[in-house]
């Protein structure tokens, strides 16, 4: 009998965005094909069907274990359905195929109830959806799997779809969700070696923002190990995005200049503003539309709303702060999931804590900060230019 295992890929949210839909579908299709390249000897085919993608092996059953680990993490995928596809159309054959497929799927799983759902896209098929469901449902019920039919809250739904071919499938795994990578434009991620910014980068990327990272490095106050950490973090993020550019910007001179010219209570604010000035210029160079930071409200003195306001007036670009309303436990849970936690907790020095007062100002006036910065610009501006000019890209 002509029957083979295939995988259906559902993409949920992008189907809501009518205007951009075709564009998103192509981006997602490209991402899937790209991630499968390494294991594709020419027999794997990824195609777009109405409202979903189909992944099949043109010469037989698809090996799910080969394919799934490579595409599980792709942003924009809502879920995966194990499926079989067949040319058979006769109801007695479909009963048999449905039973075999379902029996294999539930093996070893704690499934107690099921129901059938049939979608009949081929309107010429000689039976109604209800008849098809009840025929195949009866076959499964009689198969002795020990399952009951539950039309309201079944453990598993077996879907039957009558198209040119007939498909049987079950919702087997949820995907990463989000939007296809890059579909929301580019953003500059301020990536330190800490816990928060890599998580912020991941969350922005998950909403379709293409990430370009920038790290402000202050040797010798901060060791090369800190730079290595940031590099390792981009490698982890790249597993989701397919690659992340990283600018390492020399920050020592700026830091020393600010230390000599502003009070220790205000130093962090000025350092952060300097970072935003530079990040905005990199955004211009890279055609990025926004900045992304790991700020979380109230976490430290420089993250009170007053401080955030006094810092963010240094840029005209929108600043995305995906963690702003999250607490530490939730951030750590995501860091663990995306494998950045172990890298982030390696001991390191943080440039923003050097020379900084124990009790920094937490209710600064934006206006006063801006005025003071204006007065310092003559000395600061060439340092900012120089930092950008000598930034290393890798
Ligand atoms: P993280 O855990 O990301 O380091 P944090 O809780 O330590 O954040 P801050 O040190 O106040 O908080 O930094 C807030 C944000 O500023 C960071 O999340 C990051 O986006 C940015 N940032 C701070 N230091 C640097 C740096 N050296 N290079 C690049 N970005 C930085
Ligand atoms: Mg930090």
């Amino acid at each position: 009998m002509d029957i083979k295992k295939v995988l259906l890929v559902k993409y949920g949210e992008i189907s809501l965005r009518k205007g951009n839909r075709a564009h998103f579908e192509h981006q997602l299709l490209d991402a899937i094909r790209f991630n499968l390249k390494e294991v594709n000897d020419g027999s794997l085919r990824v195609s777009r069907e109405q409202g979903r993608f189909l992944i099949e092996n043109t010469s037989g059953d698809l090996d799910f274990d080969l394919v799934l680990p490579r595409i599980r993490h792709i942003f924009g995928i809502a879920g995966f359905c194990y499926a079989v596809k067949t040319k058979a159309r006769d109801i007695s054959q479909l009963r048999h195929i449905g039973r075999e497929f379902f029996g294999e799927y539930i093996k070893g799983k704690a499934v107690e109830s099921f129901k059938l759902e049939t979608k009949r896209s081929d309107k010429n098929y000689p039976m109604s959806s209800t008849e098809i469901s009840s025929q195949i449902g009866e076959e499964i019920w009689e198969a002795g799997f020990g399952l009951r039919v539950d039309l309201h809250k079944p453990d598993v739904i077996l879907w039957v779809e009558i198209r040119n071919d007939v498909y049987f499938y079950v919702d087997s795994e949820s995907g990463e969700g989000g939007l296809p990578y890059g579909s929301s434009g580019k953003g500059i991620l301020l990536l330190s070696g800490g816990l928060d910014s890599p998580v912020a980068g991941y969350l922005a990327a998950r909403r379709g923002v293409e990430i370009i990272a920038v790290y402000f490095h202050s040797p010798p106050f901060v060791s090369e190990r800190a730079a290595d950490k940031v590099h390792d973090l981009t490698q982890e993020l790249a597993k989701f995005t397919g690659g992340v550019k990283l600018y390492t910007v020399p920050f020592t001179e700026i830091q020393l200049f600010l230390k000599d010219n502003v009070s220790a209570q205000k130093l962090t604010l000025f350092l952060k503003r300097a970072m935003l000035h530079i990040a905005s210029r990199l955004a211009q160079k890279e055609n990025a539309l926004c900045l992304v930071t790991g700020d979380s409200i109230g976490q430290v003195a420089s993250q009170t709303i007053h401080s955030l306001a006094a810092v963010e007036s240094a840029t005209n670009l929108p600043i995305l702060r995906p963690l702003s309303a999250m607490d530490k436990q939730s951030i750590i849970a995501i860091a663990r999931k995306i494998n950045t936690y172990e890298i982030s907790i390696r001991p390191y020095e943080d440039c923003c804590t050097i020379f900084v007062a124990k009790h920094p100002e937490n209710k600064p006036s934006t206006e006063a900060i801006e005025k003071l910065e204006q007065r310092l610009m003559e000395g600061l501006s060439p340092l900012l230019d120089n930092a950008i000019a000598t930034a290393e890209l890798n």
Side-chain angles (χ1 to χ4, degrees):
M1 210 180 301
D2 180 13
I3 165 170
K4 64 181 185 179
K5 289 184 185 171
V6 299
L7 191 67
L8 302 181
V9 181
K10 300 201 292 189
Y11 44 73
E13 223 178 305
I14 67 171
S15 58
L16 301 173
R17 306 240 326 225
K18 282 221 168 62
N20 292 327
R21 181 170 164 167
H23 178 58
F24 283 5
E25 283 175 342
H26 272 112
Q27 267 176 321
L28 202 47
L29 204 57
D30 284 348
I32 295 172
R33 286 186 179 136
F34 178 82
N35 280 274
L36 290 179
K37 220 180 202 161
E38 202 181 297
V39 291
N40 192 355
D41 58 3
S43 60
L44 288 183
R45 190 167 70 198
V46 189
S47 51
R48 187 162 61 106
E49 289 195 330
Q50 232 168 27
R52 67 185 183 206
F53 301 126
L54 167 67
I55 305 180
E56 62 190 324
N57 182 338
T58 50
S59 51
D61 282 335
L62 184 71
D63 180 352
F64 294 154
D65 294 335
L66 180 76
V67 168
L68 273 167
R70 293 179 166 77
I71 60 174
R72 231 177 222 129
H73 57 274
I74 295 177
F75 297 127
I77 295 179
F80 301 98
C81 303
Y82 296 167
V84 286
K85 170 181 169 179
T86 178
K87 293 252 175 261
R89 300 186 77 76
D90 183 83
I91 193 65
S92 64
Q93 288 178 314
L94 296 183
R95 283 178 68 128
H96 175 79
I97 295 168
R99 184 188 65 209
E100 294 290 304
F101 171 68
F102 197 65
E104 191 182 327
Y105 177 75
I106 62 170
K107 211 178 280 170
K109 295 193 177 72
V111 176
E112 291 176 0
S113 59
F114 77 104
K115 85 165 177 180
L116 262 287
E117 286 277 1
T118 300
K119 289 190 205 163
R120 192 168 140 274
S121 311
D122 175 4
K123 299 299 173 202
N124 294 320
Y125 194 79
M127 294 171 81
S128 72
S129 302
T130 322
E131 278 175 289
I132 300 166
S133 289
S134 64
Q135 284 271 344
I136 298 167
E138 181 185 75
E139 177 79 21
I140 290 173
W141 194 71
E142 286 172 356
F145 297 137
L147 302 179
R148 70 192 150 73
V149 176
D150 185 338
L151 297 181
H152 303 292
K153 260 188 114 186
D155 291 339
V156 182
I157 300 175
L158 173 59
W159 294 87
V160 184
E161 235 177 89
I162 316 280
R163 300 188 176 202
N164 278 337
D165 299 299
V166 176
Y167 293 86
F168 291 85
Y169 61 91
V170 283
D171 281 309
S172 348
E173 211 184 283
S174 36
E176 268 288 334
L179 296 172
Y181 186 62
S183 64
S184 303
K186 291 187 200 171
I188 303 286
L189 168 68
L190 283 80
L191 183 64
S192 68
L195 256 171
D196 299 326
S197 39
V199 175
Y202 161 78
L203 290 174
R206 193 170 171 274
R207 293 307 298 173
V209 180
E210 181 182 337
I211 293 298
I212 297 157
V214 55
Y215 165 59
F216 298 94
H217 190 39
S218 301
F221 307 114
V222 172
S223 73
E224 283 310 311
R225 288 198 332 265
D228 292 344
K229 265 180 89 170
V230 175
H231 179 260
D232 292 352
L233 289 170
T234 59
Q235 296 297 104
E236 286 306 320
L237 290 177
K239 290 182 184 162
F240 292 93
T241 64
V244 172
K245 269 190 190 178
L246 169 66
Y247 283 95
T248 300
V249 175
F251 205 54
T252 315
E253 284 185 29
I254 292 170
Q255 196 159 2
L256 291 173
F257 173 84
L258 288 172
K259 176 187 93 111
D260 290 340
N261 286 283
V262 306
S263 73
Q265 278 77 21
K266 291 193 171 67
L267 181 56
T268 309
L269 301 174
F270 282 90
L271 291 171
K272 291 272 157 70
R273 287 181 65 94
M275 289 182 188
L276 292 192
H277 284 305
I278 293 171
S280 310
R281 301 254 294 268
L282 290 175
Q284 208 171 17
K285 183 167 154 187
E286 290 283 354
N287 288 318
L289 305 170
C290 64
L291 309 181
V292 183
T293 73
D295 294 311
S296 168
I297 297 167
Q299 209 183 67
V300 289
S302 61
Q303 293 174 10
T304 63
I305 310 258
H306 283 90
S307 301
L308 293 177
V311 170
E312 82 175 4
S313 78
T315 182
N316 291 320
L317 292 172
I319 303 180
L320 307 187
R321 299 185 181 90
L323 312 185
S324 62
M326 287 173 69
D327 47 47
K328 203 77 194 181
Q329 284 314 311
S330 321
I331 297 169
I332 288 176
I334 301 174
R336 286 190 195 278
K337 188 189 120 182
I338 64 171
N339 285 325
T340 56
Y341 181 79
E342 295 298 331
I343 302 171
S344 290
I345 60 169
R346 282 187 219 154
Y348 86 120
E349 313 80 2
D350 179 345
C351 75
C352 287
T353 58
I354 296 159
F355 315 131
V356 164
K358 269 217 165 59
H359 300 288
E361 198 164 317
N362 60 13
K363 253 189 165 185
S365 134
T366 303
E367 217 190 331
I369 299 282
E370 281 176 348
K371 263 197 185 137
L372 189 50
E373 190 188 67
Q374 202 47 51
R375 286 213 300 275
L376 296 177
M377 260 312 164
E378 202 185 317
L380 186 57
S381 192
L383 298 180
L384 295 174
D385 291 344
N386 190 45
I388 292 166
T390 54
E392 275 177 35
L393 177 62
N394 51 352

